[in-house]
Amino acid sequence: MARRKKIYEGKAKTLFEGPEPGTLVQYFKDDATAFNAEKRDVIDGKGVLNNRLSEFFMTGLANIGVPTHFIKRLNMREQLIKSVEIVPLEVIVRNFAAGSFSKRMGVEEGTPMPRPIVEFSYKDDALGDPMVPEEYIIAFGWASQQDLDDIISLALRVNDYLSGVLYGVGIKLVDFKIEIGRIYEGDFPRLIVADEISPDSCRLWDIETGRKLDKDVFRQDLGDLADAYTEVAKRLGVMPSNVTHTPKPTLIN
Ligand code: 5GP
């Protein structure tokens, strides 16, 4: 059988050539990395959960008119997506202080922001994805001022949607990261939400207990990451409530 062509392999996902021009197959791996891949592990089932959850969020966004790269889920670990030109930025929205913001600004985790804050990092692993001002983005041509206005407006719509959906199942959306892709419709470029939306790229806290249900569980050694993601999936109705994350089979001597 002919092997399909690998287009790109990242830390948590691999992209393969799609069945039609302008499409790609996005494969979700079980690999977890943090601190610019200094900490790594394989978390059984993470790829399956993120595939489902990203499908859920991207479909919901499409339903309210936010354009995304998602076309359809193909199987447990793969989805068909539109091929885009990735804008080399991580677009971060913060509703509450946490992570690098808390460290940089000396603000206690959980402190509400006066309003949702949108910030940008330049996507470059070797540099550790440094935070960049809009001035850099425009001067170096990564995006135009018009693009940035559109990106901020997209990011805030994503924030409103995600915050509402998650609040409805008792989860606080502390912050998240999205990536933006450019597609061409005829000669006209259009910006759409790309990459993934999953607990790998969001901070999600249980509203009642404060329990962390996102990748900080891995970053901070707080327990079983797949259990935390399964909890998010169950609450959103993405997995039947009686499904529990099953551990790897073990050899019995
Ligand atoms: P922070 O800047 O506080 O580390 O991260 C802010 C938010 O963006 C968090 O939800 C975090 O998970 C997400 N984020 C930032 N950088 C990355 C990244 O390189 N990969 C992923 N998956 N998420 C990121």
Side-chain angles (χ1 to χ4, degrees):
M1 201 172 88
R3 287 179 71 85
R4 56 191 174 168
K5 190 167 158 205
K6 192 192 281 185
I7 305 288
Y8 172 81
E9 177 152 13
K11 286 173 281 195
K13 297 183 297 293
T14 307
L15 295 176
F16 295 97
E17 198 170 58
E20 285 159 32
T23 66
L24 294 172
V25 173
Q26 177 163 255
Y27 176 95
F28 287 77
K29 303 195 280 186
D30 280 343
D31 302 53
T33 62
F35 311 119
N36 208 8
E38 278 170 32
K39 178 173 177 162
R40 48 174 75 229
D41 201 353
V42 176
I43 312 287
D44 192 29
K46 180 173 87 81
V48 174
L49 286 155
N50 281 352
N51 186 24
R52 287 266 182 184
L53 283 163
S54 203
E55 172 193 18
F56 176 84
F57 292 130
M58 295 278 185
T59 306
L61 284 169
N63 286 341
I64 60 160
V66 177
T68 83
H69 73 163
F70 181 82
I71 301 173
K72 65 173 178 180
R73 188 167 59 79
L74 297 171
N75 55 48
M76 296 280 275
R77 285 181 183 275
E78 294 179 328
Q79 47 185 246
L80 187 66
I81 58 169
K82 292 179 187 159
S83 173
V84 300
E85 192 181 288
I86 283 282
V87 177
L89 298 172
E90 297 194 333
V91 182
I92 294 170
V93 182
R94 301 183 189 274
N95 297 308
F96 298 86
S100 71
F101 177 87
S102 288
K103 206 176 283 173
R104 191 167 54 244
M105 301 304 294
V107 176
E108 195 183 337
E109 289 220 325
T111 308
M113 293 289 178
R115 61 177 171 80
I117 302 283
V118 183
E119 66 182 48
F120 302 99
S121 298
Y122 179 56
K123 261 174 73 68
D124 187 318
D125 283 343
L127 297 174
D129 300 335
M131 185 174 165
V132 287
E134 291 191 15
E135 183 73 355
Y136 284 22
I137 298 171
I138 295 163
F140 294 118
W142 302 324
S144 66
Q145 181 66 61
Q146 178 63 56
D147 288 344
L148 276 183
D149 293 347
D150 292 349
I151 289 170
I152 291 171
S153 136
L154 269 180
L156 292 174
R157 288 176 77 194
V158 172
N159 186 45
D160 283 348
Y161 165 76
L162 290 179
S163 298
V165 167
L166 289 160
Y167 183 80
V169 296
I171 294 172
K172 183 194 275 190
L173 178 65
V174 173
D175 58 27
F176 65 94
K177 181 253 324 180
I178 52 170
E179 295 189 19
I180 301 291
R182 205 177 265 118
I183 51 168
Y184 291 88
E185 285 167 359
D187 285 343
F188 295 102
R190 191 162 174 237
L191 296 167
I192 67 176
V193 179
D195 190 52
E196 73 179 294
I197 300 178
S198 76
D200 265 8
S201 50
C202 302
R203 283 199 173 90
L204 307 172
W205 296 356
D206 180 79
I207 288 173
E208 294 228 318
T209 64
R211 179 185 167 201
K212 293 184 177 176
L213 299 168
D214 57 66
K215 205 164 95 175
D216 275 350
V217 172
F218 173 70
R219 294 188 188 102
Q220 300 169 4
D221 291 318
L222 299 177
D224 186 318
L225 190 71
D227 276 352
Y229 288 21
T230 301
E231 177 65 25
V232 176
K234 270 192 203 166
R235 288 198 200 180
L236 291 169
V238 172
M239 297 223 157
S241 57
N242 59 353
V243 170
T244 50
H245 147 61
T246 45
K248 274 196 182 110
T250 47
L251 283 176
I252 299 166
N253 292 315

